[in-house]
Amino acid sequence: MDVQTQQTDNEKRKRVFSAIKPTGNPTLGNYLGAMKYWGGMADEYDSLFAVADLHAITVAIEPKELRENTKRLFALLIAVGIDPERNVVFLQSHVRAHAELCWLLNNYTMFGEARRMTQFKEKSQKAPENVNVGLFDYPVLMAADILLYQADIVPVGDDQMQHVELCRNIAERFNNRYSPTFTMPVGKVNKVGARIYSLADPTAKMGKSNADDAGSVFILDTPDVIMRKFKRAVTDCGSEVRAGKDKPGITNLLAVYAALAGITVAQAEKEFAGSDYATFKTRVGEAAVEGLRPVRERYEKLRADDGALLELMRSGAQKAERIAYRTLEKVYKKIGFVRL
């Protein structure tokens, strides 16, 4: 294939953009629900992954914690299989175009639209002492993140779909006022990965915010800690290892095992037919230890060389910047700013 043909093919590829806040500690649930599959997206899409550190400061966070969380998440993105040679992986704050475009887009966002955002209402109620303008403006910065890179697809959770719709409204308003400038993105709720719940409360999501949560298995937990958490996992009445609404604890553990083993829940049920709960939980814990082992090993290697990690950040930011500033310059010119 010649270069021209290859470029034409690349132009036909859709672009995916995803940004992840460096708050909390990514869990096994995050890994099996989404992160495990991100590396393979480069086979089909032009993929960009950002650590959304600008978004992280909308809630109170200590500088030391923000730095550590940011480095940890950046290294984890690569450790889970996102190849920085095939994807663009970078820190949001390293590309100033995000903040610049956010300010511009504020002027094409109606106050009523922003005020209706459910996440702002919920977070304001949880922390009434910190209802800051950045929190209110969070969805506009998210719109800037997406529109800068002319993203076609934005993988999000259910709770973020409202923000993607606002992003589309802003893009449409700008395109109609001036001329087609932004790609209209589509939010895509991930349906590939398993939905994993807390080991302590199988009706609740496995959370990443509480480092002492016995129900959450963190990607970077040691093998001993992982095994201890699985052995203490909540189970259900009876002794049969099967999935069902009456067995949320066992169903959750079967989902974990199936996702790690690459099989269906039904196949996992057959594998553990006749097993007692203790044996079953031990086997699931062992599968988690082995499934996360290569991720932890790659992560530890990346974190052992801070200079190399920063160089990867620099390289990713340079790639992202080239794309972002092409869009930003178009926006400035169309609005009517004098450019040098």
Side-chain angles (χ1 to χ4, degrees), residues 158-176:
D158 294 324
D159 60 334
Q160 293 287 318
M161 282 299 290
Q162 189 184 34
H163 290 175
V164 178
E165 287 306 310
L166 176 63
C167 174
R168 288 173 57 85
N169 291 344
I170 296 168
E172 185 175 33
R173 186 173 294 125
F174 191 95
N175 289 349
N176 289 341

Side-chain angles (χ1 to χ4, degrees), residues 126-313:
K126 287 181 181 178
E129 75 287 350
N130 189 42
V131 185
N132 57 70
V133 176
L135 185 64
F136 184 76
D137 206 32
Y138 184 111
V140 186
L141 177 57
M142 181 173 167
D145 298 339
I146 297 165
L147 298 178
L148 266 177
Y149 300 100
Q150 306 292 353
D152 297 285
I153 300 169
V154 187
V156 291
D158 294 324
D159 60 334
Q160 293 287 318
M161 282 299 290
Q162 189 184 34
H163 290 175
V164 178
E165 287 306 310
L166 176 63
C167 174
R168 288 173 57 85
N169 291 344
I170 296 168
E172 185 175 33
R173 186 173 294 125
F174 191 95
N175 289 349
N176 289 341
R177 179 165 178 176
Y178 299 101
S179 62
T181 307
F182 298 120
T183 298
M184 293 294 286
V186 175
K188 185 177 181 181
V189 177
N190 184 48
K191 301 294 183 184
V192 178
R195 188 177 286 262
I196 305 301
Y197 297 92
S198 167
L199 300 186
D201 177 5
T203 64
K205 182 180 176 182
M206 186 178 282
K208 66 175 187 173
S209 57
N210 186 357
D212 298 321
D213 185 359
S216 294
V217 175
F218 301 106
I219 294 176
L220 298 176
D221 275 346
T222 64
D224 287 347
V225 170
I226 292 173
M227 289 304 301
R228 183 168 68 249
K229 289 179 178 179
F230 273 101
K231 286 180 179 179
R232 294 177 179 175
V234 169
T235 51
D236 312 290
C237 294
S239 59
E240 190 180 3
V241 178
R242 62 170 175 80
K245 291 183 179 179
D246 60 328
K247 285 182 170 286
I250 295 298
T251 300
N252 187 43
L253 292 172
L254 282 167
V256 171
Y257 184 83
L260 288 164
I263 60 177
T264 66
V265 169
Q267 288 172 320
E269 282 181 299
K270 289 181 181 179
E271 185 173 336
F272 290 103
S275 294
D276 58 68
Y277 281 178
T279 301
F280 171 55
K281 290 196 289 186
T282 297
R283 288 278 306 281
V284 180
E286 289 170 348
V289 167
E290 291 310 309
L292 292 175
R293 188 184 301 281
V295 178
R296 285 194 305 274
E297 289 174 352
R298 286 193 293 266
Y299 172 83
E300 288 167 3
K301 186 176 180 180
L302 286 161
R303 290 307 306 270
D305 189 340
D306 207 49
L309 189 69
L310 293 174
E311 192 54 45
L312 286 172
M313 290 180 181

